[in-house]
Amino acid sequence: MPEKKQKINRREFIFRTGIFGALGLAILTFVRNIVLYLFPERKTKTYHKYLVAREDELAVGRAKQIYMGRTPVFIVRQDEGFKVFSGICTHLGCIVKWEQDKERFFCPCHKGVFDKSGKVVSGPPPRPLDEFRVEIENKKVYVFVEDKTRSPWA
Amino acid sequence: MSFKQWFIERFPIDYQKFVEINEKIFIKEPIPTHMKKWLFAMGATPLILFGLQVVTGLFLTFYFIPSPEMAFESVRHITEDVRLGFWIRGIHRWGANLMIISLLLHITRVFFTNAYRKPREINWILGVALFFLTLTISFTGYSLTYNQLSYWATTVGTNMIKEVPVIGGLMLHFLRGGDVVNANTLTRFYSMHVMILPALLMFFIFLHIIILRLHGVSIPEGFEKKYYPFYPHHFYKIIIATLFLLAFMSTLTIILPPGLGTPANPAITPQHIKPEWYFFPMYRFLKLFPLHVGIYATAAFVLVFTFWPFIEPLLSKEKRTRTLFSRTAGILTLIITLALTLWETIVI
Amino acid sequence: MDTVKAQQWLIGIFSVLLIVILLIVAGVEMKKSRTYEPEIEVDEVSARCINCHEKKGLAPKMITEWKASKHAVVGTGCIECHEAKADDFDAFKCPESDILIGKHPTPNDCAKCHEEQVAEFGNSKHGVAQIMMALKGPDRNVFEPTISTKHGCEQCHNIGNYWPDGSIGECDACHSKHRFSLVQARKPETCGECHIGPDHPQIEMYLESKHGNIYTANGDEWDWNYKSGEPAPFSAPTCATCHISATITSGKATHNVSERLSWESQAPFSVRTQEYWGKKTWQEKREGMLGVCYQCHSKSFAERYLLTADLVNLQYNEIWEETIRWAKLLRKYNVIKTDVLEFDGQAQTSWPKEGYDEEIEHSIYRNWHHEGRRFRFGAEMMGADYTQWHGIWEVQENLVKIIQLGAEHGVPEAVRWLKNKNANKFTLYPLYDIPGSTWGPSILAFRGNMPMDRIADYWETVYENVKRAYEKGLLTDDEWNLYNEIYKNKDRELGRDVPLPPIHEEYMKNLKIDLKQLYKEQKVELLRSKIKP
């Protein structure tokens, strides 16, 4: 007889585990949904193409400065292809100058020097100049600029 | 040294007594046997819904911005952009509707089982107060979405306050925080909706339950005077109700998601404006009579309704006659209310 | 149901149900009622222009328009197009900022980015629009005061404007500034700004055609913003579909609107187009146009339609030649008095196309410039009413008027013609024809009292004429083969042998009702007032 009692108890145990397991899972799902709600979704960045130059406008080793919004931007024709740099020095945020005769960028604040491919040659800058992704289509040079919206939730 | 010991040293309560009280108040709370029937066990539904409203409402405030420029836009943001925002908002919105429905059912049940009679008159009055507080909190919540319909419903709804004698104008001015519905109205309503009214509701619910517990649940005629303990049977009932309500409201949200309407425009009144459905009887009634007559009649009804437990004994000394009287009045009220609601629903 | 066990079962069931529903909720996404437009970034100079123009209210709408343009998104601001050097013809120093700007960007400026399109445009008939008006337009130079032509013919013909910087064209004639909206440029109404009115009513023809009808009915459901260079996803062609857009079967899109035109059917005599516009033979141009038709039509229908239109052009040439023959005859008999108007010994008009000082010369002019064009264009573009009532009917009317004037002045041939009772007297010129109908065979349309019944050896002559046109190189081999095939099945095409259906009898019975008798029966007898004139 004790054996039988044991059996019923085990069945009862499995039953309760099932029921209250399900209840626990339901509560977990509920909490999971709420957590999803509370943490705003990280948006994948989208980009648009921004025309910066025509291919035939620059000879190899030549550069052109334009402004995108208030950001100074340099388009430099490399031996192969184009590179487009942000003109903001990676050291402390001054604006670099293009020196055509030396084919290099010079930052007047702390004498940082970058070569035409953006690499640091001398001075304090910790990393190369920031680059934009470049695409050439129909002899026109485009860069990819992150879409910014006026949404209050950005 | 166990954790319990460690804790009790720092929080020196009489543990034995605590267990006793807990057993007495909750675990072994005597529940009359008739409450094993689902029909009689639904008094807790409004409470469960209120709890869910508090939770979802709290989460809505994480994103809602109570300003005329941003109210509608942030509601749109919650509904369309925020992950599962439509769900939280949907539960909040359906919860409000279901809360009113469940209150109406609860009141009907209490009324027709004569549970308001001596000595429970005060609890009836508290219950009626809770019902009207719920209507008010629904009204203020509805106006927060700040779309065309809610804006104009707010305008029309607040205008009625003006009919209160002597202080009506002052009250209207206080409520709106200006002459017309404006930014002040929105922030006032927000404050009422999320702070003042919930606090009042909580306090009244607390009183309502205390009185209920002190008297014990009333037993309708024809049921045995037998009891069973709160745990586990009735406790499970509450869990089942909660699970069901959440599932039901989530389903409703998928099938009928909360809408947005068009942004409020104080310059244009829409062609057809209607309040939420629970104001339909009153709205239709007010259309039938001149405004002040309608409002006084409604006020009179509310007063009679509230103080019915005290009015009833005045009508007759015979218990049977009273019951007959009450049932007739109750059925008449039900029919008229339903008819007015239906009328307003059908006619544009 | 009241046991604790049952309650526990319910908890389990509802828990599972809730989990399922919550997971469904997590998968549901709400439809977005609004999206946020990307913020526009421009270079510093342009930003200065925009801020100042908006603040001062100087043509701020052009900035609003620009903001809605693709230019704004890709960062093409003001100065990119309005760039100028000090000695440019349109150089202008902005008095507020000292920025040097070009007041009027020309195709040269557009070509900085849209080089191919500008080149294609320069190779098109649009590119010679101003030449046609300025150098070959005696109506403007002789007949009308110049002031009236500025906001008249010049406004449209400026699409081929000659700029002081050497460039030719006016891109914003179609691509309205400053939005440069593809949708707007693609709408037929844009072409209809100029291709309208008695001398070239293409927009009216289009709108009355089946193509235009479908556009009017469904055009607002079409995606007008499709990617440029790709075939238009429309259910019917617009102007641009046939003359500009890419199709799978006719190749890439082109800004040379004449690249698929195989006739100069605006000219006094219809001639096959030459290679100087589009660097393609007229046969290649025809292939291009047929390629567009093949998007919706079968090869046999499209070829037959255009073959018929070709024969209309050839037929028009014969009518025009007849018109000129009579004009010359009238001149010989001194019925037409002055012919060429001149100044300083230099001819200012041509003869017999324009003379303008005698009424009959207007009829001659219109037989080419107005009615003659409508006749031909209508046949090419499905403008039935323009081929018919605004076309051949008026062409014939003009011709009769010319002969009539000759008869009034006793020109013997004209007098003879007027007295002639032969029903064939209106087709004085050689005829072209094709058996049957493009729209499908009819067993009624070609029965009884047609020129083919009255004129001896009608089909043999017509066949010979078409053959000669083919041999002259005015029809393609495909067209000649198609013609032969149709001609071979002449009897079937004409459908004269097929018995008419019984209902025809019924119809004819109804038509036999004597309308004159009916009117007599229904006439009301009225009283007259007693007025003595």
Side-chain angles (χ1 to χ4, degrees):
Chain A
M1 279 324 233
E3 261 184 44
K4 207 180 176 188
K5 209 177 177 182
Q6 183 74 21
K7 217 175 183 181
I8 292 168
N9 273 349
R10 189 194 283 164
R11 192 192 274 165
E12 183 66 20
F13 175 75
I14 292 169
F15 172 72
R16 286 197 184 189
T17 316
I19 293 294
F20 292 105
L23 181 64
L25 208 62
I27 294 169
L28 270 180
T29 324
F30 183 71
V31 171
R32 168 196 171 267
N33 278 7
I34 284 178
V35 168
L36 279 181
Y37 166 83
L38 290 178
F39 287 89
E41 205 170 357
R42 285 227 175 82
K43 286 198 187 99
T44 45
K45 286 176 183 170
T46 54
Y47 295 86
H48 62 270
K49 284 205 284 188
Y50 192 99
L51 178 72
V52 289
R54 277 171 292 120
E55 209 176 12
D56 51 15
E57 167 183 6
L58 292 172
V60 173
R62 292 257 157 194
K64 168 180 140 172
Q65 185 188 356
I66 62 158
Y67 281 88
M68 272 169 26
R70 299 196 187 288
T71 319
V73 167
F74 290 91
I75 302 111
V76 191
R77 184 157 192 170
Q78 309 288 320
D79 299 329
E80 260 176 42
F82 287 80
K83 281 195 175 199
V84 180
F85 303 107
S86 155
I88 294 168
C89 180
T90 51
H91 179 220
L92 290 171
C94 292
I95 291 169
V96 298
K97 268 193 287 201
W98 172 251
E99 295 177 336
Q100 185 61 60
D101 51 335
K102 293 171 187 150
E103 290 197 2
R104 64 172 202 181
F105 293 99
F106 178 74
C107 180
C109 293
H110 301 93
K111 295 185 178 166
V113 176
F114 305 86
D115 70 6
K116 69 171 178 180
S117 63
K119 283 194 207 85
V120 184
V121 176
S122 66
R127 57 170 207 277
L129 285 172
D130 292 331
E131 254 184 82
F132 287 89
R133 186 149 70 86
V134 177
E135 189 184 270
I136 295 170
E137 192 189 299
N138 280 339
K139 295 183 183 168
K140 290 186 274 290
V141 182
Y142 294 92
V143 293
F144 284 83
V145 183
E146 192 190 324
D147 283 329
K148 289 182 200 143
T149 55
R150 290 185 200 280
S151 155
W153 298 281
Chain B
M1 192 164 64
S2 73
F3 173 73
K4 201 168 86 185
Q5 262 177 312
W6 181 88
F7 186 77
I8 283 172
E9 261 174 36
R10 277 143 194 89
F11 197 76
I13 50 159
D14 187 337
Y15 183 70
Q16 219 45 47
K17 210 164 196 177
F18 173 75
V19 171
E20 264 173 48
I21 290 171
N22 189 39
E23 287 241 321
K24 199 176 159 202
I25 292 187
F26 292 107
I27 313 254
K28 296 209 170 126
E29 179 197 347
I31 307 282
T33 41
H34 76 276
M35 280 183 72
K36 282 201 172 178
K37 298 205 178 303
W38 281 100
L39 186 63
F40 291 96
M42 288 292 90
T45 317
L47 180 64
I48 297 169
L49 286 168
F50 178 71
L52 290 174
Q53 289 301 88
V54 170
V55 173
T56 50
L58 186 70
F59 289 141
L60 286 174
T61 61
F62 279 40
Y63 291 104
F64 180 71
I65 305 168
S67 81
E69 294 78 26
M70 291 305 290
F72 178 85
E73 183 56 25
S74 59
V75 171
R76 188 206 63 75
H77 179 62
I78 291 170
T79 317
E80 293 177 352
D81 301 341
V82 175
R83 265 190 305 195
L84 293 166
F86 80 99
W87 174 63
I88 298 282
R89 198 186 146 214
I91 289 185
H92 197 70
R93 190 164 160 60
W94 280 115
N97 283 297
L98 291 185
M99 199 169 153
I100 287 163
I101 292 174
S102 63
L103 278 174
L104 285 170
L105 291 175
H106 182 58
I107 290 172
T108 312
R109 203 273 296 153
V110 168
F111 189 84
F112 285 103
T113 53
N114 304 112
Y116 54 84
R117 282 182 179 162
K118 190 182 157 194
R120 298 187 172 86
E121 297 99 324
I122 290 177
N123 223 15
W124 165 267
I125 292 170
L126 276 174
V128 172
L130 277 169
F131 178 63
F132 288 116
L133 273 175
T134 308
L135 286 182
T136 319
I137 204 169
S138 301
F139 178 73
T140 48
Y142 180 59
S143 46
L144 294 184
T145 56
Y146 221 65
N147 61 34
Q148 267 295 67
L149 283 179
S150 82
Y151 178 88
W152 289 100
T154 313
T155 303
V156 174
T158 47
N159 247 331
M160 302 207 170
I161 308 278
K162 220 168 47 186
E163 295 303 313
V164 176
V166 192
I167 53 163
L170 201 66
M171 277 173 75
L172 179 69
H173 194 256
F174 168 76
L175 211 57
R176 285 187 179 172
D179 292 331
V180 291
V181 174
N182 59 54
N184 282 346
T185 324
L186 194 62
T187 43
R188 267 155 213 247
F189 272 41
Y190 182 64
S191 175
M192 280 194 268
H193 184 77
V194 305
M195 308 268 293
I196 302 167
L197 292 171
L200 267 178
L201 262 171
M202 262 184 231
F203 178 65
F204 275 58
I205 290 169
F206 180 70
L207 282 183
H208 196 65
I209 291 172
I210 293 275
I211 294 177
L212 170 85
R213 290 300 309 279
L214 292 175
H215 285 301
V217 177
S218 77
I219 298 169
E221 273 175 62
F223 285 99
E224 271 181 292
K225 212 171 168 164
K226 272 167 91 184
Y227 296 90
Y228 63 93
F230 176 83
Y231 186 86
H233 197 282
H234 199 71
F235 181 68
Y236 285 170
K237 266 199 153 66
I238 288 173
I239 290 181
I240 294 165
T242 311
L243 288 170
F244 169 75
L245 284 170
L246 263 179
F248 182 56
M249 289 192 292
S250 300
T251 313
L252 277 174
T253 302
I254 298 173
I255 300 166
L256 300 162
L260 288 171
T262 43
N265 183 349
I268 301 165
T269 313
Q271 275 290 304
H272 307 292
I273 54 166
K274 274 192 184 196
E276 290 278 82
W277 63 268
Y278 34 85
F279 290 118
F280 276 9
M282 189 181 165
Y283 191 60
R284 175 47 67 177
F285 184 70
L286 289 177
K287 279 188 196 169
L288 296 174
F289 299 96
L291 188 60
H292 55 279
V293 176
I295 284 181
Y296 286 137
T298 315
F301 170 77
V302 168
L303 281 177
V304 171
F305 184 66
T306 313
F307 295 104
W308 186 252
F310 294 112
I311 294 168
E312 195 194 26
L314 302 177
L315 296 169
S316 169
K317 293 217 163 119
E318 191 68 36
K319 202 177 173 190
R320 263 236 186 97
T321 330
R322 274 194 222 164
T323 308
L324 193 69
F325 221 105
S326 282
R327 292 228 165 126
T328 321
I331 288 168
L332 267 178
T333 310
L334 261 182
I335 290 174
I336 292 171
T337 313
L338 279 176
L340 286 172
T341 308
L342 216 63
W343 188 358
E344 185 58 37
T345 311
I346 295 164
V347 182
I348 291 167
Chain C
M1 279 305 287
D2 284 349
T3 59
V4 170
K5 186 94 171 179
Q7 303 284 69
Q8 286 175 344
W9 269 111
L10 281 176
I11 290 179
I13 292 167
F14 278 114
S15 295
V16 173
L17 190 70
L18 182 62
I19 293 169
V20 172
I21 290 168
L22 287 180
L23 290 177
I24 293 174
V25 165
V28 173
E29 278 220 36
M30 286 291 111
K31 234 188 235 155
K32 299 262 190 287
S33 65
R34 69 173 286 191
T35 47
Y36 286 93
E37 293 296 321
E39 215 168 304
I40 289 165
E41 292 164 294
V42 283
D43 56 89
E44 219 177 38
V45 179
S46 299
R48 276 166 72 198
C49 305
I50 289 165
N51 289 338
C52 185
H53 269 267
E54 282 189 334
K55 207 173 72 202
K56 295 221 162 82
L58 294 165
K61 287 283 173 196
M62 72 183 178
I63 289 158
T64 318
E65 283 289 285
W66 168 83
K67 280 179 181 166
S69 73
K70 182 92 186 292
H71 278 166
V73 177
V74 300
T76 303
C78 314
I79 201 69
E80 280 84 350
C81 305
H82 287 277
E83 199 175 30
K85 289 184 204 77
D87 55 346
D88 280 357
F89 77 96
D90 60 344
F92 169 78
K93 198 149 232 163
C94 169
E96 302 290 332
S97 64
D98 279 355
I99 302 173
L100 191 67
I101 59 153
K103 287 190 85 155
H104 200 127
T106 67
N108 273 355
D109 294 292
C110 301
K112 279 189 249 167
C113 291
H114 307 282
E115 197 181 346
E116 202 181 335
Q117 286 80 355
V118 170
E120 285 165 355
F121 178 92
N123 219 343
S124 75
K125 276 168 116 173
H126 273 160
V128 296
Q130 204 167 53
I131 303 181
M132 301 307 280
M133 173 197 71
L135 304 182
K136 293 190 162 187
D139 33 10
R140 166 179 176 265
N141 293 344
V142 176
F143 195 57
E144 297 151 0
T146 309
I147 185 69
S148 67
T149 68
K150 289 188 196 308
H151 292 180
C153 40
E154 284 168 41
Q155 197 175 313
C156 279
H157 283 264
N158 274 1
I159 194 171
N161 195 46
Y162 273 52
W163 294 102
D165 65 0
S167 63
I168 294 165
E170 177 80 312
C171 303
D172 71 330
C174 305
H175 300 276
S176 309
K177 59 182 177 274
H178 280 95
R179 190 190 285 241
F180 306 103
S181 147
L182 281 176
V183 174
Q184 177 263 320
R186 282 167 175 165
K187 290 268 163 107
E189 285 76 4
T190 299
C191 314
E193 262 184 50
C194 293
H195 293 270
I196 190 172
D199 56 337
H200 38 50
Q202 284 98 336
I203 186 69
E204 290 98 327
M205 288 173 188
Y206 173 73
L207 289 175
E208 78 163 29
S209 75
K210 183 55 81 196
H211 294 156
N213 182 0
I214 296 172
Y215 156 71
T216 313
N218 305 332
D220 50 356
E221 295 163 12
W222 296 348
D223 172 22
W224 291 87
N225 228 337
Y226 65 91
K227 195 170 183 296
S228 55
E230 280 179 6
F234 300 163
S235 52
T238 59
C239 312
T241 314
C242 299
H243 298 290
I244 294 178
S245 305
T247 67
I248 303 157
T249 34
S250 65
K252 67 179 220 26
T254 172
H255 271 63
N256 176 356
V257 286
S258 32
E259 204 177 280
R260 294 170 194 156
L261 297 180
S262 58
W263 279 108
E264 298 288 0
S265 45
Q266 85 291 347
F269 279 106
S270 277
V271 290
R272 284 301 191 176
T273 47
Q274 304 300 300
E275 288 175 34
Y276 50 82
W277 284 321
K279 299 191 175 67
K280 283 183 177 171
T281 65
W282 68 260
Q283 288 91 341
E284 287 165 337
K285 292 176 186 174
R286 165 55 55 88
E287 276 306 308
M289 185 58 85
L290 278 170
V292 181
C293 305
Y294 296 159
Q295 297 302 300
C296 306
H297 298 287
S298 70
K299 200 165 177 316
S300 57
F301 173 83
E303 280 186 346
R304 184 165 182 165
Y305 182 85
L306 286 181
L307 169 63
T308 311
D310 285 351
L311 296 181
V312 166
N313 268 286
L314 291 167
Q315 183 66 73
Y316 162 81
N317 280 353
E318 298 309 316
I319 304 175
W320 178 242
E321 203 166 323
E322 184 68 12
T323 310
I324 290 168
R325 192 176 72 78
W326 281 100
K328 281 183 176 161
L329 198 67
L330 262 57
R331 185 183 176 224
K332 204 175 101 191
Y333 283 91
N334 215 20
V335 178
I336 298 176
K337 291 177 181 78
T338 48
D339 39 29
V340 180
L341 303 175
E342 48 186 55
F343 178 76
D344 243 3
Q346 290 278 317
Q348 300 291 310
T349 62
S350 71
W351 196 89
K353 277 193 302 177
E354 313 99 359
Y356 301 130
D357 57 346
E358 288 169 73
E359 205 194 330
I360 202 64
E361 285 169 339
H362 289 232
S363 295
I364 297 167
Y365 173 71
R366 282 207 305 270
N367 234 18
W368 150 57
H369 194 269
H370 288 33
E371 283 86 75
R373 282 181 182 172
R374 302 202 293 248
F375 174 41
R376 290 172 280 172
F377 294 171
E380 287 155 359
M381 288 176 51
M382 281 197 196
D385 194 45
Y386 282 89
T387 318
Q388 177 62 40
W389 294 110
H390 302 304
I392 189 61
W393 176 268
E394 296 197 35
V395 167
Q396 291 287 77
E397 220 172 28
N398 288 334
L399 191 56
V400 168
K401 247 189 246 169
I402 297 166
I403 306 175
Q404 221 174 32
L405 187 76
E408 272 171 36
H409 288 80
V411 176
E413 195 185 333
V415 175
R416 271 207 308 283
W417 183 86
L418 211 56
K419 284 183 180 159
N420 192 338
K421 283 187 176 173
N422 191 326
N424 296 334
K425 70 190 220 173
F426 294 101
T427 44
L428 293 163
Y429 31 77
L431 295 172
Y432 292 93
D433 199 356
I434 181 168
S437 157
T438 318
W439 309 105
S442 164
I443 56 169
L444 179 75
F446 307 108
R447 265 174 215 252
N449 197 27
M450 303 272 297
M452 60 180 109
D453 302 306
R454 301 193 310 261
I455 298 171
D457 303 326
Y458 178 82
W459 282 113
E460 290 73 11
T461 323
V462 160
Y463 181 81
E464 184 60 25
N465 288 346
V466 176
K467 190 176 166 200
R468 289 188 188 186
Y470 165 65
E471 280 163 0
K472 198 81 188 169
L474 293 173
L475 298 173
T476 63
D477 293 342
D478 282 352
E479 281 183 308
W480 176 236
N481 292 339
L482 179 64
Y483 186 85
N484 273 309
E485 202 185 308
I486 294 166
Y487 190 82
K488 213 163 56 196
N489 293 318
K490 184 158 60 72
D491 292 337
R492 212 176 66 202
E493 291 285 348
L494 292 173
R496 292 180 155 198
D497 303 334
V498 185
L500 293 168
I503 189 97
H504 180 68
E505 285 294 311
E506 292 291 313
Y507 289 160
M508 290 310 286
K509 244 183 255 162
N510 286 339
L511 286 172
K512 280 205 181 94
I513 294 167
D514 189 343
L515 288 179
K516 221 192 256 168
Q517 187 59 38
L518 211 59
Y519 176 63
K520 261 183 201 161
E521 282 166 28
Q522 293 178 4
K523 186 175 161 64
V524 186
E525 288 300 328
L526 298 175
L527 299 177
R528 281 175 194 279
S529 331
K530 283 169 186 144
I531 299 166
K532 279 183 184 164

